[in-house]
Amino acid sequence: MVLINVTSPLLRNEIRETLVACEEPKYRYVRNIGKIEMQFEADTDDSSKALRTAKERIRSLKFGKIIMFRVLIDGQFYENGKIYKPGDKEYKATRPAD
C-alpha cells in the first residue's frame, strides 16, 4: 500500500471521484489533510505507478490539463525527493495543516 497526497485548489470533488473510481491501482480516499490537500491509499507497492496513474487520471478530467495540482507520496516535500516516515522530525513539516 502506498499513501499519496493530492493537492489542488480546484476540482477536489471531481479528483476524489475519479481516483476512487480507478480500478488499477485501486485508490481509497483516506481523509482531507488541509483545505486543499487530500490523502489516498493505493493498493500497490509501486509508488511510481500510484503517482503516475493519479496524475494521468487527474489530467483526464475536463479541466485537468490546465489546473494546478500536485501528487506526492506521503512524507515528501517535492517530487522525487526523500520520503520521510512518521516519527521523523521532518515528517511533521510535510503537513503544515495538521
Side-chain angles (χ1 to χ4, degrees):
M1 298 289 185
V2 176
L3 279 178
I4 63 168
N5 299 332
V6 178
T7 306
S8 178
L10 301 170
L11 302 178
R12 286 184 302 281
N13 290 334
E14 291 86 347
I15 290 170
R16 182 175 49 241
E17 289 169 6
T18 195
L19 289 181
V20 169
C22 184
E23 292 297 324
E24 183 58 35
K26 185 75 176 155
Y27 294 93
R28 183 180 68 83
Y29 171 77
V30 177
R31 65 187 179 120
N32 281 341
I33 295 175
K35 291 180 182 178
I36 64 171
E37 191 169 13
M38 300 174 285
Q39 189 170 70
F40 294 88
E41 182 179 67
D43 70 349
T44 181
D45 291 326
D46 185 354
S47 58
S48 63
K49 180 179 181 177
L51 293 174
R52 185 177 58 252
T53 304
K55 289 177 184 179
E56 288 171 358
R57 296 293 299 211
I58 293 168
R59 287 186 189 112
S60 74
L61 295 171
K62 183 175 181 178
F63 297 106
K65 291 183 182 173
I66 60 173
I67 65 169
M68 183 185 79
F69 69 90
R70 180 176 67 181
V71 181
L72 297 173
I73 299 169
D74 186 49
Q76 275 185 321
F77 282 106
Y78 53 88
E79 196 169 332
N80 298 322
K82 182 175 179 181
I83 302 170
Y84 296 100
K85 302 291 181 201
D88 294 341
K89 64 179 182 173
E90 295 88 351
Y91 180 80
K92 178 78 174 157
T94 65
R95 49 181 16 86
D98 278 355

